[in-house]
Each structure stands twice: as structure tokens, then as C-alpha cells.
Amino acid sequence: MKKNYRSVSGFLRLSILVLLLVGTTGLSSAAQIALTWNDNSTNESGFNIERRIGASGSYQPLANVAANIASYTDAGLSNGTTYCYRVRGFNSNGSSGYSNEACATTA
């Protein structure tokens, strides 16, 4: 049986917001990056989020979120580091193509 990998329809556009959590006296700061994307599909089971550290290198799985969730916060990041992300939808028939790549450098 041939799998239909085009069955996760729609186009994903990823955007990011860099946040810095400022610790109180005696605590260290921790950076986080908030990801959002447009969920234009109607038949996804969820979304795979992948991350790479730096401008080059390979992507690694970061997290999965359920259907109809269009955001994720990557917390506990190192300050002054560039992180790049991509997202794709999936269902029982396979996965969509990846979203655009979005990169941000934590403060």
C-alpha cells in the first residue's frame, strides 16, 4: 500500500519571539524562545518541532504538540546563542513538508 504523504494539507509559516526571563537576586536568568505558526491544515494529528543550535549543523527533534496547537515555548536556553527551528505537521499517512526556518539569538 502506497502512503500518501501529501495528506497533511496546508502551509506552515513559523515565527518566533525571543523572551528573557529575569531571575530574582541570587537566581540566574534563563532565556526562552516562543514559537508560533499558522495551522492551515484540517487533518493533522500534531506537529513535530525541530531545533538546531547555531547557523549550521543538523536539526534534532525537540518536541511534538497535539493537533490544533500552534505554539511552543523552548525554555531554559543559553544566553547569547542562536537557535533555529522548523515545524511540520503529521498524521497517520505521513508528514507535511517543513515550515520555513526561523532563527533567533537569545539575549
Side-chain angles (χ1 to χ4, degrees):
M1 175 184 285
K2 183 177 178 182
K3 287 191 172 190
N4 178 4
Y5 289 98
R6 297 179 185 263
S7 62
V8 179
S9 61
F11 176 76
L12 299 174
R13 177 101 182 130
L14 179 64
S15 62
I16 59 176
L17 172 65
V18 178
L19 304 172
L20 178 63
L21 298 178
V22 179
T24 59
T25 305
L27 298 176
S28 62
S29 300
Q32 64 181 3
I33 296 176
L35 309 172
T36 60
W37 56 91
N38 294 327
D39 177 2
N40 296 322
S41 57
T42 58
N43 62 343
E44 81 274 10
S45 297
F47 294 96
N48 302 122
I49 303 161
E50 295 183 358
R51 176 183 75 191
R52 95 171 168 222
I53 300 172
S56 63
S58 58
Y59 276 94
Q60 300 298 318
L62 176 63
N64 294 324
V65 295
N68 303 316
I69 303 294
S71 64
Y72 178 80
T73 299
D74 191 8
L77 303 174
S78 298
N79 292 328
T81 303
T82 299
Y83 296 91
C84 297
Y85 300 88
R86 64 185 184 182
V87 177
R88 68 180 174 175
F90 67 89
N91 66 18
S92 60
N93 291 317
S95 298
S96 70
Y98 287 105
S99 68
N100 61 299
E101 176 183 83
C103 297
T105 301
T106 53

